Amino acid sequence: MKPKYIAIAAVTLDGKIAKSKNHMSDWTSKEDKDFLHKMLDKCDVVLVGNNTYKTAVEPLSKRNCIVLTGKIKKPLQKSKNLLYINPKATNLGRLIAKKKYRRVAILGGTQTYSYCLENNLLDEIYLTIEPLVFGKGINLFESQKFIEYKFKLASIKKLNSNGTLLLHYKKFKG
Ligand SMILES: NC(=O)c1ccc[n+]([C@@H]2O[C@H](COP(=O)([O-])OP(=O)(O)OC[C@H]3O[C@@H](n4cnc5c(N)ncnc54)[C@H](OP(=O)(O)O)[C@@H]3O)[C@@H](O)[C@H]2O)c1
């Protein structure tokens, strides 16, 4: 069976996922964090970019992780559950299929979400909208060119009294 690639992200009202690449995700609500941990528990592996990984080494240490980096040529198995790969040198989709991972949690950040979107490795998005504005910062997706991928809303849930929303989108198959 084809693995499911599920992106999980929290954004501000102005669509930012962080103020800068070193910014920790400590600005999201408790309800969003609870949801994130539950989702990660349901997935077989976490796919994450090197910048995001560095902001969350400790919480991710107990999970199977594939970290994207451009700094290596061959896959680098750092520990039993931590693998670094360069997607330009290793076919990521094939590697995940070979490892028989069924559910892949795409944890970001921008470069990783964008890579997955552009390479047909994104089936679903869980997007938490936190009711705050950064004004400036890192976007959810950032492409070198104009792109258009369609999604369909599967569900919407209000997570708390401040109005944090959890949106679940699936790739539009029209
Ligand atoms: N709000 C949220 O839900 C959320 C989620 C995730 C992250 N974030 C935030 O986002 C920020 C980091 O974002 P970011 O845009 O810097 O992205 P990132 O994807 O976490 O890290 C980028 C790095 O990952 C590697 N990488 C990613 N895609 C690659 C590719 N296709 N090929 C080769 N290497 C690749 C490169 O590492 P090398 O430099 O080693 O080559 C690149 O410099 C952090 O502040 C984090 O807290 C927020």
Side-chain angles (χ1 to χ4, degrees):
M1 213 171 84
K2 196 179 166 285
K4 258 210 173 8
Y5 290 85
I6 305 158
I8 309 161
V11 292
T12 61
L13 290 177
D14 49 344
K16 306 298 176 196
I17 60 162
K19 289 181 180 170
S20 69
K21 67 177 185 165
N22 306 316
H23 187 196
M24 309 277 284
S25 293
D26 54 2
W27 53 274
T28 60
S29 58
K30 179 187 174 300
E31 292 78 11
D32 173 64
K33 287 189 186 71
D34 291 347
F35 168 74
L36 171 65
H37 293 132
K38 267 191 216 148
M39 272 305 291
L40 294 182
D41 288 345
K42 288 183 194 164
C43 289
D44 305 310
V45 66
V46 175
L47 180 64
V48 61
N50 206 5
N51 292 343
T52 299
Y53 182 74
K54 284 176 194 162
T55 69
V57 174
E58 201 275 318
L60 289 177
S61 63
K62 60 177 187 295
R63 301 187 185 274
N64 286 332
C65 286
I66 298 177
V67 181
L68 298 188
T69 176
K71 297 201 174 88
I72 54 169
K73 286 218 168 95
K74 284 190 194 154
L76 177 65
Q77 190 80 51
K78 275 263 183 166
S79 66
K80 194 172 155 275
N81 58 358
L82 176 60
L83 176 68
Y84 283 80
I85 71 143
N86 179 348
K88 286 180 196 90
T90 299
N91 185 312
L92 178 60
R94 214 176 291 154
L95 178 108
I96 283 171
K98 197 173 148 196
K99 289 194 172 278
K100 299 202 170 28
Y101 292 135
R102 303 280 291 273
R103 288 167 66 86
V104 181
I106 304 165
L107 199 59
T110 304
Q111 289 189 40
T112 301
Y113 293 133
S114 306
Y115 176 82
C116 291
L117 182 70
E118 291 174 3
N119 288 278
N120 199 23
L121 298 172
L122 209 163
D123 300 305
E124 298 184 22
I125 305 176
Y126 283 93
L127 192 66
T128 299
I129 302 183
E130 292 289 2
L132 81 164
V133 171
F134 287 160
K136 237 173 99 151
I138 300 186
N139 295 325
L140 177 62
F141 294 110
E142 193 79 63
S143 206
Q144 298 306 311
K145 54 184 189 302
F146 285 108
I147 53 173
E148 193 175 312
Y149 293 92
K150 290 188 180 168
F151 290 86
K152 194 173 176 187
L153 187 67
S155 69
I156 178 164
K157 194 174 169 191
K158 186 174 162 189
L159 294 187
N160 59 30
S161 59
N162 289 340
T164 298
L165 297 181
L166 175 63
L167 310 181
H168 179 200
Y169 288 95
K170 290 185 179 173
K171 202 152 120 185
F172 182 74
K173 292 177 185 141

